Amino acid sequence: MSTRIPTRFTEMVGIRHPVMQDGMGSGSFTTGAIAAAVSAAGGLGSVSVADLWAEPKKAEKVFRAQMDFVASHTDLPFAANIPIGIDYTGDVIESSVQHLGYLLDARRADSALEKQLRVVTTSGGAPDRFRDAIRDAGLLHFCKVGSTRQALHAVRAGVDLVIASGYEMGGHTHSKPVHTFVLGPNVTEAVDVPVIVSGGVRDARGLAAALCFGADGVAMGTRFIATEESGWHPAIIERVLGAKEGDDVTFPGVYGPIRGLRNQATDTIERMVAEGRSDEEITEWKAAAFRRVQDEGDVLNGLFPTGQVASGIDSVVRIADFVPGIVAEAAKILAGLTGRAIDA
Ligand SMILES: Cc1cc2nc3c(=O)[nH]c(=O)nc-3n(C[C@H](O)[C@H](O)[C@H](O)COP(=O)(O)O)c2cc1C
């Protein structure tokens, strides 16, 4: 038995806690282990697209391995994140289309997976491009947005839930800086569908605040890196624990700016852009720089997407305790505040 705070999000997906781990693939990161731990703890974990540039056979293998890993570690629901990249002609990039295909094929081939993999989160824009395919497969469609305008667009496209993610978030952030404390309440006022708040959340206080905004839960990325279960390179975890305010920077990503920790790699990418290097050259360099972090833990010379919230993370937690723990603590915080009000 543990405290529960049921919301429209938990009821819609059929999970215990209003806590989500959002997609964290940017570049070459795999999140099967984090997703399995978050879902097993009663939240909603997400597998991620771990290599936008991989050749199709390898990309499918990596994506499928993450789904299989989660399914073999818990029978509770989980999600998958598909970033929708748009190329210069306005078409969806091949990798986004392929990854949705891998996911739909995997579910069609496995009825247990079909029941368990219930949610697709799209990010990056253009939720309408994949809306029919997601709905027709019987999946819930969550859409990550960085503005009220994008939230309204996503709702008009028919998505089931929006994730309002503030500019301080780690990974691909938004072209216009609207931070979580402004975006959260703006979006919950503007739309009727359930809302999850993300960007800068790391503990029960963030969850309590999101519920006060009228949201139905929180999603976190950076916090889940520094966990016993993440399996990420120890140097990456150490770097998150050591991050201070102001250590982050935004640098050019695949379909917009990425927030990460400033280092030699972010200086290099800025220089390459200033020198007018070709898109192909920059993309190739970036892909290798992301892999240097994930594979070798090279946080000095590799690109490492991280949120500003890293500055407040100073311990490694166990997801199995953390997820139910922040829900119980948020309930206490909210109840405690009621008792403090006075009419004077
Ligand atoms: C290492 C890392 C990789 C990420 N990769 C993706 C991704 O592939 N797709 C996506 O939609 N968001 C990605 N994000 C953003 C997260 O889904 C989430 O929105 C963000 O981490 C929330 O902010 P927080 O870091 O302050 O918790 C990534 C974030 C991190 C830290």
Side-chain angles (χ1 to χ4, degrees):
M1 284 290 275
S2 65
T3 306
R4 290 192 61 210
I5 306 180
T7 66
R8 291 179 296 172
F9 161 48
T10 60
E11 301 304 297
M12 172 188 274
V13 185
I15 53 173
R16 194 168 168 80
H17 297 304
V19 177
M20 181 172 185
Q21 166 252 327
D22 204 354
M24 292 160 68
S26 286
S28 66
F29 298 94
T30 51
T31 56
I34 302 178
V38 172
S39 285
L44 185 67
S46 305
V47 299
S48 312
V49 170
D51 194 344
L52 276 176
W53 302 282
E55 54 88 20
K57 271 210 163 57
K58 185 181 167 218
E60 179 168 21
K61 206 168 145 203
V62 173
F63 201 46
R64 184 63 205 247
Q66 292 187 73
M67 294 187 246
D68 290 345
F69 184 91
V70 181
S72 63
H73 282 77
T74 175
D75 54 8
L76 293 168
F78 69 98
N81 166 243
I82 313 247
I84 306 182
I86 305 291
D87 70 15
Y88 64 94
T89 67
D91 287 338
V92 174
I93 60 171
E94 200 49 30
S95 165
S96 304
V97 178
Q98 283 166 346
H99 276 87
L100 184 64
Y102 305 149
L103 184 155
L104 298 178
D105 287 348
R107 284 178 85 248
R108 269 193 291 267
D110 181 342
S111 58
L113 185 69
E114 190 175 18
K115 286 202 191 80
Q116 207 181 346
L117 177 44
R118 290 195 194 156
V119 177
V120 170
T121 302
T122 58
S123 47
D128 43 319
R129 307 287 181 99
F130 284 176
R131 176 65 198 130
D132 288 349
I134 293 171
R135 185 187 36 222
D136 293 350
L139 284 151
L140 292 165
H141 186 173
F142 291 7
C143 178
K144 185 162 4 178
V145 300
S147 69
T148 304
R149 187 182 60 78
Q150 287 172 359
L152 289 167
H153 173 74
V155 170
R156 273 197 300 274
V159 306
D160 299 293
L161 178 150
V162 292
I163 302 176
S165 63
Y167 189 63
E168 57 269 66
M169 66 184 279
H172 267 103
T173 186
H174 311 285
S175 45
K176 291 203 175 135
V178 187
H179 295 82
T180 301
F181 223 77
V182 173
L183 185 68
N186 283 359
V187 171
T188 59
E189 272 168 28
V191 302
D192 291 332
V193 300
V195 176
I196 289 177
V197 162
S198 103
V201 178
R202 65 175 157 95
D203 60 16
R205 294 169 300 179
L207 172 58
L211 295 170
C212 290
F213 291 163
D216 297 86
V218 288
M220 286 170 266
T222 304
R223 169 68 276 188
F224 285 121
I225 297 173
T227 55
E228 285 180 18
E229 295 95 328
S230 75
W232 286 26
H233 198 289
I236 301 180
I237 295 177
E238 276 308 309
R239 186 64 191 96
V240 169
L241 298 180
K244 303 275 179 294
E245 287 177 10
D247 281 1
D248 63 296
V249 64
T250 57
F251 57 89
V254 186
Y255 38 83
I258 292 186
R259 182 179 309 288
L261 290 172
R262 179 184 282 286
N263 61 11
Q264 287 168 25
T266 60
D267 290 349
T268 303
I269 197 106
E270 277 166 9
R271 198 173 57 245
M272 289 174 88
V273 171
E275 288 169 0
R277 306 283 191 94
S278 72
D279 279 354
E280 288 75 24
E281 192 186 351
I282 293 177
T283 301
E284 203 174 306
W285 189 88
K286 267 194 296 207
F290 281 123
R291 285 191 204 103
R292 278 199 288 280
V293 175
Q294 171 82 352
D295 299 345
E296 300 155 31
D298 185 353
V299 291
L300 289 180
N301 302 297
L303 291 172
F304 180 21
T306 319
Q308 291 190 342
V309 73
S311 61
I313 295 173
D314 56 11
S315 63
V316 174
V317 294
R318 191 168 163 258
I319 292 172
D321 304 323
F322 174 75
V323 170
I326 65 168
V327 174
E329 202 185 325
K332 279 196 196 128
I333 292 170
L334 294 169
L337 291 177
T338 319
R340 272 170 50 188
I342 51 168
D343 290 320

Short mmCIF file of all heavy atoms in Angstrom, two decimals, residues 66-127:
data_model
loop_
_atom_site.label_atom_id
_atom_site.label_comp_id
_atom_site.label_asym_id
_atom_site.label_seq_id
_atom_site.Cartn_x
_atom_site.Cartn_y
_atom_site.Cartn_z
N GLN A 66 14.72 -2.30 -26.77
CA GLN A 66 14.23 -1.53 -25.61
C GLN A 66 12.80 -1.95 -25.23
O GLN A 66 12.48 -2.09 -24.05
CB GLN A 66 14.23 -0.04 -25.91
CG GLN A 66 15.60 0.57 -26.07
CD GLN A 66 15.48 2.07 -26.21
OE1 GLN A 66 15.21 2.78 -25.25
NE2 GLN A 66 15.66 2.57 -27.42
N MET A 67 11.95 -2.13 -26.25
CA MET A 67 10.56 -2.54 -25.97
C MET A 67 10.56 -3.91 -25.29
O MET A 67 9.86 -4.13 -24.30
CB MET A 67 9.74 -2.60 -27.27
CG MET A 67 9.54 -1.27 -27.93
SD MET A 67 8.41 -1.41 -29.34
CE MET A 67 9.46 -1.05 -30.72
N ASP A 68 11.38 -4.83 -25.83
CA ASP A 68 11.44 -6.18 -25.27
C ASP A 68 11.98 -6.15 -23.84
O ASP A 68 11.53 -6.89 -22.97
CB ASP A 68 12.31 -7.09 -26.14
CG ASP A 68 11.64 -7.39 -27.47
OD1 ASP A 68 10.43 -7.15 -27.60
OD2 ASP A 68 12.34 -7.85 -28.40
N PHE A 69 12.96 -5.26 -23.60
CA PHE A 69 13.53 -5.17 -22.26
C PHE A 69 12.44 -4.76 -21.26
O PHE A 69 12.30 -5.38 -20.19
CB PHE A 69 14.68 -4.15 -22.23
CG PHE A 69 15.36 -4.08 -20.90
CD1 PHE A 69 16.45 -4.90 -20.64
CD2 PHE A 69 14.91 -3.25 -19.89
CE1 PHE A 69 17.08 -4.87 -19.40
CE2 PHE A 69 15.53 -3.21 -18.65
CZ PHE A 69 16.62 -4.03 -18.40
N VAL A 70 11.67 -3.75 -21.60
CA VAL A 70 10.63 -3.29 -20.67
C VAL A 70 9.61 -4.40 -20.46
O VAL A 70 9.25 -4.73 -19.32
CB VAL A 70 9.91 -2.01 -21.19
CG1 VAL A 70 8.85 -1.56 -20.20
CG2 VAL A 70 10.92 -0.88 -21.42
N ALA A 71 9.17 -5.02 -21.58
CA ALA A 71 8.14 -6.06 -21.49
C ALA A 71 8.62 -7.26 -20.68
O ALA A 71 7.81 -7.96 -20.07
CB ALA A 71 7.72 -6.49 -22.89
N SER A 72 9.94 -7.50 -20.66
CA SER A 72 10.42 -8.66 -19.91
C SER A 72 10.68 -8.32 -18.43
O SER A 72 10.99 -9.19 -17.64
CB SER A 72 11.68 -9.24 -20.55
OG SER A 72 12.71 -8.28 -20.50
N HIS A 73 10.59 -7.05 -18.08
CA HIS A 73 10.84 -6.65 -16.69
C HIS A 73 9.58 -6.23 -15.94
O HIS A 73 9.60 -6.10 -14.71
CB HIS A 73 11.88 -5.53 -16.62
CG HIS A 73 13.27 -6.06 -16.80
ND1 HIS A 73 13.78 -6.42 -18.03
CD2 HIS A 73 14.24 -6.32 -15.90
CE1 HIS A 73 15.02 -6.86 -17.87
NE2 HIS A 73 15.32 -6.82 -16.60
N THR A 74 8.52 -5.92 -16.65
CA THR A 74 7.26 -5.56 -15.98
C THR A 74 6.11 -5.85 -16.93
O THR A 74 6.30 -5.82 -18.16
CB THR A 74 7.24 -4.06 -15.57
OG1 THR A 74 5.96 -3.74 -15.02
CG2 THR A 74 7.50 -3.13 -16.74
N ASP A 75 4.94 -6.14 -16.36
CA ASP A 75 3.78 -6.29 -17.25
C ASP A 75 2.88 -5.06 -17.18
O ASP A 75 1.76 -5.06 -17.66
CB ASP A 75 3.01 -7.58 -16.95
CG ASP A 75 2.61 -7.68 -15.49
OD1 ASP A 75 2.81 -6.68 -14.76
OD2 ASP A 75 2.11 -8.75 -15.08
N LEU A 76 3.40 -3.98 -16.59
CA LEU A 76 2.62 -2.74 -16.47
C LEU A 76 2.78 -1.88 -17.73
O LEU A 76 3.72 -2.07 -18.51
CB LEU A 76 3.06 -1.99 -15.21
CG LEU A 76 2.69 -2.73 -13.92
CD1 LEU A 76 3.38 -2.12 -12.70
CD2 LEU A 76 1.18 -2.74 -13.72
N PRO A 77 1.87 -0.91 -17.92
CA PRO A 77 1.89 -0.13 -19.17
C PRO A 77 3.16 0.70 -19.34
O PRO A 77 3.75 1.16 -18.36
CB PRO A 77 0.68 0.81 -19.01
CG PRO A 77 -0.20 0.17 -18.01
CD PRO A 77 0.70 -0.58 -17.07
N PHE A 78 3.56 0.90 -20.58
CA PHE A 78 4.65 1.82 -20.88
C PHE A 78 4.36 2.55 -22.18
O PHE A 78 3.39 2.26 -22.88
CB PHE A 78 6.02 1.14 -20.86
CG PHE A 78 6.29 0.16 -21.97
CD1 PHE A 78 7.01 0.54 -23.10
CD2 PHE A 78 5.84 -1.15 -21.89
CE1 PHE A 78 7.29 -0.36 -24.12
CE2 PHE A 78 6.11 -2.07 -22.91
CZ PHE A 78 6.83 -1.67 -24.03
N ALA A 79 5.24 3.53 -22.48
CA ALA A 79 5.05 4.40 -23.64
C ALA A 79 6.28 4.33 -24.53
O ALA A 79 7.31 3.77 -24.16
CB ALA A 79 4.85 5.84 -23.17
N ALA A 80 6.16 4.91 -25.72
CA ALA A 80 7.33 5.11 -26.58
C ALA A 80 7.28 6.54 -27.09
O ALA A 80 6.19 7.08 -27.33
CB ALA A 80 7.31 4.14 -27.75
N ASN A 81 8.45 7.13 -27.22
CA ASN A 81 8.53 8.51 -27.72
C ASN A 81 9.07 8.50 -29.15
O ASN A 81 10.10 7.89 -29.43
CB ASN A 81 9.46 9.33 -26.82
CG ASN A 81 9.87 10.67 -27.46
OD1 ASN A 81 11.04 10.90 -27.72
ND2 ASN A 81 8.92 11.51 -27.72
N ILE A 82 8.34 9.17 -30.04
CA ILE A 82 8.82 9.31 -31.42
C ILE A 82 8.93 10.81 -31.73
O ILE A 82 7.90 11.48 -31.91
CB ILE A 82 7.85 8.67 -32.44
CG1 ILE A 82 7.44 7.28 -31.97
CG2 ILE A 82 8.46 8.71 -33.84
CD1 ILE A 82 7.90 6.13 -32.77
N PRO A 83 10.15 11.33 -31.80
CA PRO A 83 10.28 12.74 -32.22
C PRO A 83 9.94 12.86 -33.70
O PRO A 83 10.40 12.04 -34.51
CB PRO A 83 11.77 13.05 -31.97
CG PRO A 83 12.29 11.92 -31.13
CD PRO A 83 11.44 10.73 -31.44
N ILE A 84 9.10 13.84 -34.04
CA ILE A 84 8.74 14.03 -35.45
C ILE A 84 9.61 15.15 -36.02
O ILE A 84 9.40 16.33 -35.72
CB ILE A 84 7.24 14.39 -35.62
CG1 ILE A 84 6.35 13.36 -34.92
CG2 ILE A 84 6.89 14.50 -37.10
CD1 ILE A 84 4.86 13.62 -35.08
N GLY A 85 10.59 14.77 -36.80
CA GLY A 85 11.44 15.77 -37.46
C GLY A 85 10.84 16.14 -38.81
O GLY A 85 10.27 15.30 -39.49
N ILE A 86 10.93 17.42 -39.15
CA ILE A 86 10.44 17.89 -40.45
C ILE A 86 11.65 18.38 -41.25
O ILE A 86 12.45 19.16 -40.73
CB ILE A 86 9.44 19.07 -40.26
CG1 ILE A 86 8.29 18.69 -39.32
CG2 ILE A 86 8.92 19.57 -41.61
CD1 ILE A 86 7.33 17.67 -39.87
N ASP A 87 11.78 17.92 -42.50
CA ASP A 87 12.95 18.35 -43.28
C ASP A 87 12.68 19.68 -43.98
O ASP A 87 11.59 20.26 -43.84
CB ASP A 87 13.41 17.25 -44.24
CG ASP A 87 12.42 17.03 -45.39
OD1 ASP A 87 11.55 17.91 -45.61
OD2 ASP A 87 12.52 16.00 -46.06
N TYR A 88 13.67 20.17 -44.73
CA TYR A 88 13.55 21.51 -45.31
C TYR A 88 12.45 21.60 -46.37
O TYR A 88 12.00 22.67 -46.72
CB TYR A 88 14.90 21.99 -45.87
CG TYR A 88 15.40 21.15 -47.02
CD1 TYR A 88 15.13 21.51 -48.33
CD2 TYR A 88 16.12 19.98 -46.78
CE1 TYR A 88 15.56 20.72 -49.38
CE2 TYR A 88 16.55 19.18 -47.83
CZ TYR A 88 16.26 19.56 -49.12
OH TYR A 88 16.67 18.76 -50.16
N THR A 89 11.94 20.45 -46.86
CA THR A 89 10.84 20.50 -47.85
C THR A 89 9.48 20.46 -47.16
O THR A 89 8.44 20.51 -47.80
CB THR A 89 10.91 19.31 -48.83
OG1 THR A 89 10.64 18.10 -48.07
CG2 THR A 89 12.24 19.18 -49.52
N GLY A 90 9.50 20.30 -45.81
CA GLY A 90 8.23 20.23 -45.08
C GLY A 90 7.77 18.80 -44.86
O GLY A 90 6.72 18.56 -44.28
N ASP A 91 8.55 17.83 -45.33
CA ASP A 91 8.19 16.42 -45.13
C ASP A 91 8.73 15.91 -43.79
O ASP A 91 9.74 16.40 -43.30
CB ASP A 91 8.78 15.54 -46.24
CG ASP A 91 8.04 15.74 -47.55
OD1 ASP A 91 6.88 16.19 -47.51
OD2 ASP A 91 8.64 15.47 -48.61
N VAL A 92 8.03 14.90 -43.25
CA VAL A 92 8.52 14.25 -42.03
C VAL A 92 9.77 13.46 -42.38
O VAL A 92 9.80 12.77 -43.41
CB VAL A 92 7.44 13.30 -41.46
CG1 VAL A 92 7.98 12.51 -40.27
CG2 VAL A 92 6.19 14.09 -41.06
N ILE A 93 10.81 13.55 -41.53
CA ILE A 93 12.06 12.83 -41.86
C ILE A 93 11.82 11.33 -41.80
O ILE A 93 11.00 10.83 -41.03
CB ILE A 93 13.25 13.25 -40.96
CG1 ILE A 93 12.97 12.97 -39.48
CG2 ILE A 93 13.64 14.70 -41.17
CD1 ILE A 93 14.17 13.16 -38.59
N GLU A 94 12.59 10.63 -42.62
CA GLU A 94 12.41 9.19 -42.80
C GLU A 94 12.49 8.43 -41.47
O GLU A 94 11.70 7.52 -41.21
CB GLU A 94 13.52 8.71 -43.76
CG GLU A 94 13.27 7.38 -44.44
CD GLU A 94 11.91 7.27 -45.09
OE1 GLU A 94 11.34 8.29 -45.54
OE2 GLU A 94 11.37 6.13 -45.13
N SER A 95 13.42 8.85 -40.62
CA SER A 95 13.64 8.13 -39.37
C SER A 95 12.37 8.13 -38.49
O SER A 95 12.06 7.13 -37.84
CB SER A 95 14.81 8.76 -38.62
OG SER A 95 14.83 8.35 -37.32
N SER A 96 11.65 9.25 -38.46
CA SER A 96 10.43 9.31 -37.63
C SER A 96 9.39 8.33 -38.16
O SER A 96 8.76 7.59 -37.39
CB SER A 96 9.84 10.73 -37.66
OG SER A 96 10.78 11.67 -37.24
N VAL A 97 9.21 8.32 -39.49
CA VAL A 97 8.23 7.42 -40.11
C VAL A 97 8.63 5.96 -39.83
O VAL A 97 7.80 5.13 -39.45
CB VAL A 97 8.17 7.66 -41.64
CG1 VAL A 97 7.20 6.70 -42.30
CG2 VAL A 97 7.81 9.10 -41.95
N GLN A 98 9.92 5.69 -39.99
CA GLN A 98 10.38 4.31 -39.80
C GLN A 98 10.15 3.86 -38.36
O GLN A 98 9.69 2.73 -38.12
CB GLN A 98 11.87 4.21 -40.13
CG GLN A 98 12.13 4.19 -41.62
CD GLN A 98 13.59 4.42 -41.95
OE1 GLN A 98 14.38 4.85 -41.11
NE2 GLN A 98 13.96 4.17 -43.18
N HIS A 99 10.47 4.72 -37.39
CA HIS A 99 10.33 4.29 -36.00
C HIS A 99 8.87 4.03 -35.62
O HIS A 99 8.58 3.09 -34.89
CB HIS A 99 10.98 5.29 -35.04
CG HIS A 99 12.46 5.05 -34.90
ND1 HIS A 99 13.38 5.60 -35.76
CD2 HIS A 99 13.16 4.29 -34.04
CE1 HIS A 99 14.59 5.20 -35.43
NE2 HIS A 99 14.49 4.40 -34.39
N LEU A 100 7.96 4.84 -36.14
CA LEU A 100 6.55 4.54 -35.87
C LEU A 100 6.20 3.18 -36.47
O LEU A 100 5.51 2.37 -35.86
CB LEU A 100 5.63 5.64 -36.42
CG LEU A 100 4.16 5.42 -36.08
CD1 LEU A 100 3.92 5.49 -34.56
CD2 LEU A 100 3.25 6.40 -36.80
N GLY A 101 6.72 2.92 -37.67
CA GLY A 101 6.48 1.62 -38.32
C GLY A 101 7.03 0.47 -37.49
O GLY A 101 6.34 -0.55 -37.30
N TYR A 102 8.24 0.61 -36.94
CA TYR A 102 8.82 -0.47 -36.12
C TYR A 102 7.91 -0.75 -34.93
O TYR A 102 7.68 -1.90 -34.55
CB TYR A 102 10.20 -0.09 -35.57
CG TYR A 102 11.23 0.32 -36.60
CD1 TYR A 102 12.22 1.26 -36.28
CD2 TYR A 102 11.24 -0.23 -37.88
CE1 TYR A 102 13.17 1.64 -37.21
CE2 TYR A 102 12.19 0.16 -38.82
CZ TYR A 102 13.15 1.10 -38.48
OH TYR A 102 14.08 1.49 -39.39
N LEU A 103 7.42 0.33 -34.33
CA LEU A 103 6.58 0.20 -33.13
C LEU A 103 5.27 -0.52 -33.47
O LEU A 103 4.86 -1.46 -32.79
CB LEU A 103 6.31 1.60 -32.59
CG LEU A 103 5.55 1.78 -31.30
CD1 LEU A 103 5.95 3.12 -30.68
CD2 LEU A 103 4.05 1.76 -31.47
N LEU A 104 4.62 -0.08 -34.56
CA LEU A 104 3.33 -0.68 -34.93
C LEU A 104 3.52 -2.15 -35.32
O LEU A 104 2.73 -3.01 -34.93
CB LEU A 104 2.68 0.11 -36.07
CG LEU A 104 2.34 1.59 -35.72
CD1 LEU A 104 1.74 2.29 -36.93
CD2 LEU A 104 1.37 1.68 -34.54
N ASP A 105 4.62 -2.44 -36.03
CA ASP A 105 4.88 -3.83 -36.42
C ASP A 105 5.09 -4.70 -35.18
O ASP A 105 4.58 -5.82 -35.09
CB ASP A 105 6.17 -3.93 -37.27
CG ASP A 105 5.95 -3.38 -38.67
OD1 ASP A 105 4.79 -3.15 -39.04
OD2 ASP A 105 6.97 -3.17 -39.38
N ALA A 106 5.87 -4.17 -34.22
CA ALA A 106 6.18 -4.95 -33.01
C ALA A 106 4.89 -5.25 -32.25
O ALA A 106 4.70 -6.37 -31.75
CB ALA A 106 7.15 -4.17 -32.12
N ARG A 107 3.99 -4.28 -32.17
CA ARG A 107 2.73 -4.51 -31.45
C ARG A 107 1.84 -5.50 -32.19
O ARG A 107 1.19 -6.35 -31.58
CB ARG A 107 1.98 -3.19 -31.24
CG ARG A 107 2.59 -2.32 -30.14
CD ARG A 107 1.84 -1.02 -30.02
NE ARG A 107 0.66 -1.06 -29.18
CZ ARG A 107 -0.58 -0.94 -29.61
NH1 ARG A 107 -0.83 -0.78 -30.90
NH2 ARG A 107 -1.59 -0.96 -28.78
N ARG A 108 1.80 -5.39 -33.50
CA ARG A 108 0.96 -6.32 -34.28
C ARG A 108 1.44 -7.76 -34.11
O ARG A 108 0.65 -8.69 -34.10
CB ARG A 108 1.01 -5.94 -35.77
CG ARG A 108 -0.10 -4.96 -36.17
CD ARG A 108 -0.21 -4.86 -37.68
NE ARG A 108 0.93 -4.20 -38.27
CZ ARG A 108 1.00 -2.90 -38.52
NH1 ARG A 108 -0.02 -2.12 -38.26
NH2 ARG A 108 2.08 -2.36 -39.04
N ALA A 109 2.74 -7.91 -33.94
CA ALA A 109 3.32 -9.26 -33.87
C ALA A 109 3.21 -9.88 -32.48
O ALA A 109 3.53 -11.05 -32.30
CB ALA A 109 4.78 -9.20 -34.30
N ASP A 110 2.80 -9.10 -31.49
CA ASP A 110 2.87 -9.59 -30.11
C ASP A 110 1.68 -9.02 -29.31
O ASP A 110 1.68 -7.83 -28.95
CB ASP A 110 4.22 -9.14 -29.52
CG ASP A 110 4.43 -9.60 -28.09
OD1 ASP A 110 3.45 -9.96 -27.42
OD2 ASP A 110 5.59 -9.57 -27.66
N SER A 111 0.68 -9.86 -29.04
CA SER A 111 -0.54 -9.33 -28.41
C SER A 111 -0.30 -8.84 -26.98
O SER A 111 -0.97 -7.92 -26.51
CB SER A 111 -1.65 -10.37 -28.45
OG SER A 111 -1.22 -11.53 -27.78
N ALA A 112 0.70 -9.44 -26.29
CA ALA A 112 1.00 -8.95 -24.93
C ALA A 112 1.59 -7.55 -25.02
O ALA A 112 1.22 -6.65 -24.25
CB ALA A 112 1.98 -9.91 -24.24
N LEU A 113 2.50 -7.36 -25.97
CA LEU A 113 3.11 -6.03 -26.14
C LEU A 113 2.04 -5.01 -26.56
O LEU A 113 2.06 -3.86 -26.13
CB LEU A 113 4.22 -6.10 -27.20
CG LEU A 113 5.03 -4.82 -27.41
CD1 LEU A 113 5.90 -4.53 -26.19
CD2 LEU A 113 5.90 -4.93 -28.65
N GLU A 114 1.11 -5.47 -27.38
CA GLU A 114 0.04 -4.58 -27.84
C GLU A 114 -0.74 -4.00 -26.66
O GLU A 114 -1.08 -2.83 -26.63
CB GLU A 114 -0.89 -5.36 -28.77
CG GLU A 114 -1.87 -4.48 -29.49
CD GLU A 114 -2.69 -5.27 -30.50
OE1 GLU A 114 -2.73 -6.52 -30.42
OE2 GLU A 114 -3.30 -4.63 -31.36
N LYS A 115 -0.99 -4.86 -25.65
CA LYS A 115 -1.75 -4.41 -24.47
C LYS A 115 -0.91 -3.48 -23.60
O LYS A 115 -1.40 -2.54 -23.00
CB LYS A 115 -2.17 -5.61 -23.63
CG LYS A 115 -3.30 -6.40 -24.24
CD LYS A 115 -4.01 -7.22 -23.16
CE LYS A 115 -4.96 -8.22 -23.80
NZ LYS A 115 -4.28 -9.44 -24.31
N GLN A 116 0.40 -3.78 -23.53
CA GLN A 116 1.26 -3.09 -22.57
C GLN A 116 1.78 -1.75 -23.09
O GLN A 116 1.88 -0.77 -22.34
CB GLN A 116 2.45 -4.01 -22.28
CG GLN A 116 3.06 -3.79 -20.94
CD GLN A 116 4.25 -4.72 -20.74
OE1 GLN A 116 4.46 -5.68 -21.48
NE2 GLN A 116 5.02 -4.41 -19.73
N LEU A 117 2.11 -1.71 -24.36
CA LEU A 117 2.62 -0.46 -24.97
C LEU A 117 1.41 0.36 -25.39
O LEU A 117 0.85 0.18 -26.47
CB LEU A 117 3.53 -0.81 -26.15
CG LEU A 117 4.13 0.34 -26.98
CD1 LEU A 117 4.66 1.46 -26.11
CD2 LEU A 117 5.22 -0.18 -27.88
N ARG A 118 0.97 1.26 -24.48
CA ARG A 118 -0.34 1.91 -24.67
C ARG A 118 -0.26 3.33 -25.21
O ARG A 118 -1.27 3.89 -25.60
CB ARG A 118 -1.05 1.99 -23.30
CG ARG A 118 -1.48 0.64 -22.85
CD ARG A 118 -2.47 0.67 -21.74
NE ARG A 118 -2.50 -0.68 -21.20
CZ ARG A 118 -2.86 -1.00 -20.00
NH1 ARG A 118 -3.27 -0.06 -19.17
NH2 ARG A 118 -2.84 -2.24 -19.60
N VAL A 119 0.94 3.94 -25.11
CA VAL A 119 1.02 5.38 -25.39
C VAL A 119 2.16 5.66 -26.37
O VAL A 119 3.25 5.12 -26.21
CB VAL A 119 1.31 6.16 -24.08
CG1 VAL A 119 1.47 7.66 -24.36
CG2 VAL A 119 0.23 5.92 -23.04
N VAL A 120 1.89 6.52 -27.35
CA VAL A 120 2.98 7.10 -28.15
C VAL A 120 3.03 8.59 -27.85
O VAL A 120 2.01 9.28 -27.92
CB VAL A 120 2.77 6.88 -29.66
CG1 VAL A 120 3.78 7.71 -30.46
CG2 VAL A 120 2.92 5.42 -30.02
N THR A 121 4.21 9.05 -27.45
CA THR A 121 4.40 10.49 -27.27
C THR A 121 5.13 11.01 -28.49
O THR A 121 6.22 10.55 -28.80
CB THR A 121 5.30 10.77 -26.05
OG1 THR A 121 4.70 10.20 -24.91
CG2 THR A 121 5.47 12.26 -25.83
N THR A 122 4.52 11.98 -29.17
CA THR A 122 5.26 12.62 -30.26
C THR A 122 5.81 13.95 -29.75
O THR A 122 5.22 14.59 -28.89
CB THR A 122 4.39 12.85 -31.51
OG1 THR A 122 3.27 13.66 -31.18
CG2 THR A 122 3.93 11.54 -32.10
N SER A 123 6.98 14.29 -30.25
CA SER A 123 7.58 15.57 -29.89
C SER A 123 8.17 16.16 -31.15
O SER A 123 8.28 15.48 -32.17
CB SER A 123 8.66 15.36 -28.82
OG SER A 123 9.52 14.29 -29.18
N GLY A 124 8.53 17.41 -31.09
CA GLY A 124 9.18 18.04 -32.23
C GLY A 124 8.21 18.77 -33.14
O GLY A 124 8.63 19.62 -33.93
N GLY A 125 6.93 18.48 -33.08
CA GLY A 125 5.97 19.22 -33.91
C GLY A 125 5.13 18.30 -34.76
O GLY A 125 5.30 17.07 -34.74
N ALA A 126 4.20 18.90 -35.52
CA ALA A 126 3.36 18.21 -36.50
C ALA A 126 2.69 16.93 -35.97
O ALA A 126 2.77 15.88 -36.61
CB ALA A 126 4.18 17.89 -37.74
N PRO A 127 1.97 17.00 -34.83
CA PRO A 127 1.33 15.78 -34.32
C PRO A 127 0.28 15.23 -35.27
O PRO A 127 0.00 14.04 -35.28
CB PRO A 127 0.67 16.24 -33.01
CG PRO A 127 0.53 17.73 -33.12
CD PRO A 127 1.68 18.18 -33.99
#
